[in-house]
Amino acid sequence: MQKAAMRATTAAPTFFKPVLMGGDMYSDGGLIASNPTAVAIHEARQLYPEIPIEMIVSVGTGEFVNEKVSPKFGWDGVIAQIVKSATDTSRTHWIVEDILGNGNTAKGADTVSKTKYYRFDPVVGTSVDFPIDGTDKNQLEKLKRISKAYMEEPEQREKLKNIGKVLGV
């Protein structure tokens, strides 16, 4: 059952067929939430309403450089906007950060919640540099180098140190 659940949650449309389980069709959760942080918070509060959430660590797959493109009109524009909205992970990050009051985007009080929230998501380049279905070993090595350099940045090292404190490591 676990294998089927993993297969269903990673069934990215256009790459993998949806999975039929128990009479229901399942596909990649990224259709609903490319950044599932808010969904995870909601589910945790539903399952364990009396237990406070001490910490959330959100790990992204890498941000693309923000490129300004001319707006498209007609169905091409509508579909482009739907895809952009469905794959936007930053918006969820900013909302969670604002709600919990743990980051730079929160206005007013330093913390609204006792929940510690950390997000890791390096800027990796453009979508042309790293297509979603890329398998080129050189490109994957480049992503690895970008990620390692990102994790060595003082801000990221500080986050890791704070996470370790919460975990008692």
Side-chain angles (χ1 to χ4, degrees), residues 19 35 49 86 114-115 124 142 146:
V19 174
N35 176 346
K114 292 181 181 179
T115 302
V124 297
K142 187 174 180 184
I146 291 168

Side-chain angles (χ1 to χ4, degrees), residues 63-120:
E63 291 279 327
F64 291 130
V65 174
N66 196 1
E67 299 172 301
K68 186 72 174 167
V69 294
S70 298
K72 296 178 184 176
F73 296 96
W75 284 111
D76 286 349
V78 170
I79 291 170
Q81 187 59 45
I82 290 169
V83 169
K84 183 178 169 82
S85 295
T87 58
D88 183 358
T89 61
S90 294
R91 192 173 317 258
T92 299
H93 162 64
W94 297 330
I95 291 168
V96 170
E97 190 176 64
D98 281 349
I99 289 169
L100 297 177
N102 288 174
N104 299 328
T105 58
K107 306 295 181 219
D110 258 352
T111 56
V112 175
S113 167
K114 292 181 181 179
T115 302
K116 301 293 182 210
Y117 171 67
Y118 304 97
R119 171 93 170 144
F120 297 97

Side-chain angles (χ1 to χ4, degrees), residues 14-166:
T14 73
F15 294 108
F16 304 106
K17 288 187 220 174
V19 174
L20 184 63
M21 283 191 330
D24 292 320
M25 191 74 75
Y26 293 91
S27 62
D28 183 40
L31 289 175
I32 305 298
S34 283
N35 176 346
T37 305
V39 174
I41 293 168
H42 170 74
E43 288 184 4
R45 288 189 173 152
Q46 294 300 307
L47 293 170
Y48 309 103
E50 303 301 319
I51 300 173
I53 299 171
E54 187 172 356
M55 179 173 59
I56 298 163
V57 178
S58 174
V59 180
T61 58
E63 291 279 327
F64 291 130
V65 174
N66 196 1
E67 299 172 301
K68 186 72 174 167
V69 294
S70 298
K72 296 178 184 176
F73 296 96
W75 284 111
D76 286 349
V78 170
I79 291 170
Q81 187 59 45
I82 290 169
V83 169
K84 183 178 169 82
S85 295
T87 58
D88 183 358
T89 61
S90 294
R91 192 173 317 258
T92 299
H93 162 64
W94 297 330
I95 291 168
V96 170
E97 190 176 64
D98 281 349
I99 289 169
L100 297 177
N102 288 174
N104 299 328
T105 58
K107 306 295 181 219
D110 258 352
T111 56
V112 175
S113 167
K114 292 181 181 179
T115 302
K116 301 293 182 210
Y117 171 67
Y118 304 97
R119 171 93 170 144
F120 297 97
D121 201 16
V123 175
V124 297
T126 69
S127 58
V128 174
D129 296 332
F130 300 105
I132 191 167
D133 59 348
T135 58
D136 179 84
K137 287 183 180 182
N138 293 327
Q139 290 297 82
L140 295 174
E141 279 299 319
K142 187 174 180 184
L143 278 174
K144 194 172 167 181
R145 286 192 303 275
I146 291 168
S147 298
K148 280 186 172 189
Y150 172 81
M151 294 307 289
E152 291 297 325
E153 293 174 3
E155 181 182 350
Q156 309 321 318
R157 294 192 61 76
E158 183 68 21
K159 287 181 199 176
L160 289 171
K161 185 171 116 185
N162 291 335
I163 291 167
K165 285 179 188 174
V166 173

